[in-house]
Structures are given as structure tokens and as C-alpha cells.
Amino acid sequence: MDLTLSEPYRILQAEIRDFIRQHGDKSPKVGGGRKRPDQKTLDWQKRLVENGYAGRTIPKEYGGFGATPDVMAAAVIAGEFARANVYAGLTNQGISMLVPTLLELGTDEQKRQYVGPTIRGDIIWCQGYSEPNNGSDLANAQTKAELKDGHWIVNGQKIWTSSAHYADMMFLLCRTEPDKSKHDGLSYLLLSMKSPGLDPRPLKTMTGRNEFNEVFFTDVKVPESQIVLGRGKGWYVANVTLKHERLMIGDAGKMTARFEQLISLLQTSEIDGTKLIAMPEYRDRLLRLQGEVMAWKAHNLRLLTEAAQGVDSGVKRMIIKYGGTMLGFRLSSLAVDALGAAGLPYESLGEDAEDDDATTWNIDYMYDVGLMIGGGSTNIQKNIIGERGLDLPREPKAAGRA
Ligand SMILES: Cc1cc2nc3c(=O)[nH]c(=O)nc-3n(C[C@H](O)[C@H](O)[C@H](O)COP(=O)(O)OP(=O)(O)OC[C@H]3O[C@@H](n4cnc5c(N)ncnc54)[C@H](O)[C@@H]3O)c2cc1C
């Protein structure tokens, strides 16, 4: 197999290297992304969008770079940024989940209003899906919205809403058709987090930091036009968003960058004067992980190819969230083991802790446990893979549940 890049991609590669040489010093630190982006990150993001290294295939009229989808170009860009250890751009619920959903299903007005500012990082979104009694059983969401005088009036409660304490906007799954079946009774609304009657209350995680929230709605008014696709179409829209969420969570680009960081951690850490990279017990785990990361990367390239060809990847896509979160957890587990005592003390981690190298792994490790649950838990992913991917018999439903 000839893996040399053909002429157009060699030119692209040279352009990217030139860009990184000229501007790489302005890049924020790789990693993080669980706080509101600071000015340095926003400036860098805008530079990436202008040069086609973020929002590359989003049409120009909606604020993107307008390039034709090209799997190889995407792989070359990701590879060059990872190789140079330069920040490859924001990934958050707005950019990775809402933007593709709006591009697929939104009105022209919604795309013009939200896509550009979101990919530049000027609008931060949060996802209002889970409720205290309806997490895995998402279609049973009970937060309701009633249409009165040109506005949806929203009442109810969401929970585990990541970033709601600093987000500007929320995409919300709510019940607008109480007389219809549970799946047909939902709608998908876009609303401002500044709306009167909306009350986000931060929840502390075991890292000691506020990462998600409970959000209460009391007669929150949302303009009628802020619905995506139409009344009763919320379940369909939410599933389009979830598909993108699961791909974002299992993203191979991030795995490759983390693997590179893991190598340098093992190259720089030592026990009794011996570098960890030279010790069989660490080296063996590292090499196994290298094989998994390479396989994951190849799998993601296959998915990108199929997406570009308009082929539905079926079960190959369904395994991304499950496989990606398990692999991410194994990567951070090795790092935390390598850190030894420095991998343990997490009680004292403050809001700025992810700026510190040693604690970044520590935070990732705990966050990776959460990622196995967020966006649909591992058990639910296994059900989906089994039932929809492998045509196994459906799990029996508990009595009284639709
Ligand atoms: C880090 C993180 C970020 C999150 N961010 C958001 C967010 O931004 N917005 C949002 O809306 N939600 C968010 N969530 C919530 C997340 O989507 C839910 O936690 C998840 O869907 C599980 O729902 P639950 O917590 O209600 O657990 P439950 O549904 O009560 O499940 C409890 C346990 O039972 C298992 N279980 C449930 N049903 C079945 C079944 N049918 N078969 C087999 N096992 C089953 C589950 O796997 C789980 O282990 C986040 C969660 C985490 C951890």
C-alpha cells in the first residue's frame, strides 16, 4: 500500500506547516475545553476559521470556509495539528452537535443567525435533554412547552446540563404535544440562557468543579420561530444531534493527540533513575494502546470516507461512542498510574487546574468516567449496537413503559 500523499495534499500539508510556523506561538494550550473559551482561544479559533482549518466545509454564507468535503484534507489537517501539538480548534456542544444538526434540519434564518457565531466561539450552547427521571429514557422528557400568543411557554426541569452556568443559548428537548405518543410529542427549541424565568444551578462533580447544572424553567418565553423542523419532530432532531454527540465523544483525532502526550509523559517520568518508557510494565501497556489508537484512527477514516460517499455506516458508526470512551479511559488510566502520587490528589483541584500539566491527566481520568455515561451510557450503547446494529432481539420493556 502506498501511503505517500499525492500532490494536492502535499501542497496542503506545506500550507499548514507554514501556517503553524507563522502563527503557532499564538495557539492556546492543547487540551482543556471545559471552561468558557478565553480571548486567546477565541482569537485562535477565528484565525482557524478564516484559514479553513475549522468550519472548513461549512458554506461561506453561514460563516464557514466553504470547502468541498474531503476526507484526506481533513485527515492531513488533523494530523499536522496533532504532530505540532498545536490547538486544532474548539469542540463543544454547539460546534460539534448543534451546528451539524442545523445545517441538516434548520431553516435558512436559523443557519444564518447561529452557525457563524457558534463556530467562531462567540455563542456557547448547552444541551437541555436529561431530566431527573428521564436520562436513558430520554423520549419520556416531561419539561413542557405550550404555545400562547406567538411564544412557547416552558415549564419544568433539566439536569446534568453541561456548561449551562456560562452558556449563551440552549437547545432544548421538551413536550409540546401531550396528547401524542411519547416519541411524537416532543419538540426541539432554541432559547437564550438570559430568558427571564430560567434558573441554572451549578452542580459540583467529584473534581470539586462546576461542570454541569440543574436548570429550572418557570414560564420561560421562547419565540414561536425558535423551533427546529416543526412541532412533534423533536425526537428526530434530538437523534440527529445525538449521532453527532457520539461521534464527537469518540473522536480519534483527540485520541491521537492524547497518545502523543502520553508518550512524552512516559519519556519524562522516572522511577529510581529509570525512565518509565524503558520499563516493560509501562512499555507493554503503551504499545497495546498504540495499536488500539491506530486501529481507532483507521476506523474513523473509514467512517469519514463512507460519510463523504453518502454511505450510512450503520453499526460501524454506532460503536464510536462506546469504543472511544473506553479507549480514552484506558489512555488516562495509564497516565494516572505513571504519575504515581501526583496522580492522586484531586480534592484540591481548582477551576484553573487544567492549565497545569500533571493535573490535566488527573481531570481527564475522572472526566472519562463521566463520558462513559454522558451522551447515552455504555449499557445503552450496547443495547443500541445489539438491537439496531446486530439485529439481536430487543430487550424486554418494563411493564407500563412504551
Ligand atoms: C459528564 C456528563 C455530561 C453530561 N452532559 C449532559 C448535558 O450536557 N445535557 C444533558 O441533557 N445531559 C447530560 N448528561 C446526562 C447524561 O446524558 C445522562 O446521565 C445519561 O443519559 C444517563 O441517564 P441517567 O443519569 O438518568 O441514568 P439512568 O438512566 O437512571 O441510568 C442508570 C443506570 O442504569 C442503566 N440503564 C438504564 N436504562 C437501561 C436499559 N434500558 N438497559 C440497560 N441499562 C440501563 C444505565 O446504563 C446506568 O448505568 C451528562 C452526563 C455526564 C456524566
Side-chain angles (χ1 to χ4, degrees):
M1 193 191 300
D2 181 9
L3 291 176
T4 351
L5 292 177
S6 60
E7 180 71 8
Y9 299 111
R10 279 207 302 276
I11 294 172
L12 175 65
Q13 187 183 49
E15 279 170 14
I16 305 165
R17 288 185 179 176
D18 202 39
F19 172 85
I20 293 176
R21 235 187 331 271
Q22 277 186 45
H23 304 290
D25 59 329
K26 299 176 197 82
S27 159
K29 196 168 153 299
V30 174
R34 293 194 278 277
K35 292 184 283 190
R36 190 167 181 113
D38 58 14
Q39 196 53 48
K40 185 174 186 180
T41 308
L42 290 177
D43 291 345
W44 181 250
Q45 181 71 11
K46 283 177 190 122
R47 200 181 285 272
L48 293 183
V49 173
E50 277 160 22
N51 286 276
Y53 302 136
R56 184 176 177 82
T57 57
I58 291 173
K60 278 205 161 106
E61 60 202 295
Y62 303 133
F65 187 72
T68 318
D70 180 335
V71 178
M72 271 311 293
V76 171
I77 295 169
E80 288 304 313
F81 277 79
R83 197 184 57 85
N85 199 23
V86 167
Y87 191 72
L90 290 168
T91 46
N92 57 34
Q93 293 178 324
I95 293 175
S96 307
M97 294 157 57
L98 182 72
V99 163
T101 305
L102 284 186
L103 288 172
E104 197 173 324
L105 306 173
T107 61
D108 198 47
E109 174 59 26
Q110 287 165 347
K111 291 181 209 173
R112 283 181 199 285
Q113 191 176 355
Y114 296 123
V115 172
T118 302
I119 58 171
R120 289 195 301 273
D122 293 334
I123 301 183
I124 302 294
W125 292 80
C126 61
Q127 175 194 36
Y129 281 15
S130 306
E131 297 182 359
N133 295 316
N134 304 298
S136 298
D137 190 16
L138 184 61
N140 206 29
Q142 295 300 321
T143 294
K144 64 173 185 194
E146 290 172 283
L147 194 56
K148 278 188 195 149
D149 303 328
H151 283 87
W152 298 101
I153 310 296
V154 184
N155 281 286
Q157 186 201 338
K158 295 289 169 180
I159 195 168
W160 315 127
T161 322
S162 304
S163 327
H165 49 304
Y166 61 73
D168 306 295
M169 298 282 299
M170 171 188 277
F171 45 97
L172 170 76
L173 188 65
C174 56
R175 193 153 296 279
T176 54
E177 326 296 313
D179 303 332
K180 295 220 170 126
S181 72
K182 79 175 186 183
H183 292 89
D184 292 334
L186 296 165
S187 294
Y188 191 98
L189 304 183
L190 309 175
L191 62 126
S192 164
M193 291 300 285
K194 305 263 174 344
S195 309
L198 195 150
D199 180 17
R201 300 185 197 163
L203 293 167
K204 264 198 174 31
T205 69
M206 65 179 174
T207 60
R209 293 141 47 99
N210 296 330
E211 283 174 9
F212 36 43
N213 304 259
E214 302 176 282
V215 183
F216 295 86
F217 302 78
T218 312
D219 292 333
V220 174
K221 278 173 88 172
V222 182
E224 184 177 357
S225 60
Q226 292 291 87
I227 190 166
V228 180
L229 201 61
R231 292 185 75 140
K233 302 278 194 274
W235 182 244
Y236 180 76
V237 185
N239 272 289
V240 170
T241 312
L242 275 173
K243 173 180 80 182
H244 293 294
E245 177 171 21
R246 288 168 185 163
L247 292 177
M248 168 183 80
I249 292 176
D251 178 26
K254 274 186 276 177
M255 302 298 162
T256 314
R258 287 176 84 187
F259 183 72
E260 296 297 327
Q261 290 158 14
L262 185 55
I263 294 178
S264 74
L265 178 70
L266 296 189
Q267 281 169 338
T268 49
S269 312
E270 52 184 51
I271 297 176
D272 295 335
T274 308
K275 298 265 187 257
L276 298 189
I277 193 103
M279 299 172 82
E281 54 274 41
Y282 286 101
R283 208 182 169 82
D284 186 46
R285 276 172 76 184
L286 186 72
L287 288 177
R288 279 169 200 267
L289 284 169
Q290 184 178 36
E292 287 187 54
V293 170
M294 286 168 74
W296 205 240
K297 208 168 146 187
H299 185 66
N300 275 258
L301 285 175
R302 182 164 64 164
L303 289 186
L304 275 173
T305 310
E306 291 185 351
Q309 292 166 343
V311 174
D312 178 7
S313 301
V315 70
K316 284 175 264 164
R317 177 169 52 73
M318 290 174 200
I319 65 168
I320 283 287
K321 204 248 156 185
Y322 172 67
T325 52
M326 302 306 268
L327 177 54
F329 182 66
R330 282 198 291 278
L331 286 170
S332 51
S333 300
L334 177 53
V336 165
D337 287 349
L339 284 164
L344 294 176
Y346 57 78
E347 307 85 35
S348 56
L349 299 182
E351 291 293 323
D352 294 326
E354 63 192 350
D355 296 328
D356 178 290
D357 272 344
T359 50
T360 301
W361 280 111
N362 204 323
I363 292 174
D364 278 348
Y365 175 75
M366 286 180 287
Y367 196 70
D368 283 335
V369 177
L371 286 183
M372 292 188 226
I373 304 167
S377 71
T378 296
N379 292 345
I380 295 296
Q381 297 310 302
K382 285 182 182 169
N383 285 354
I384 292 174
I385 294 164
E387 294 173 8
R388 293 189 220 157
L390 303 174
D391 277 337
L392 295 175
R394 297 184 71 82
E395 68 157 343
K397 298 285 173 213
R401 303 217 98 163

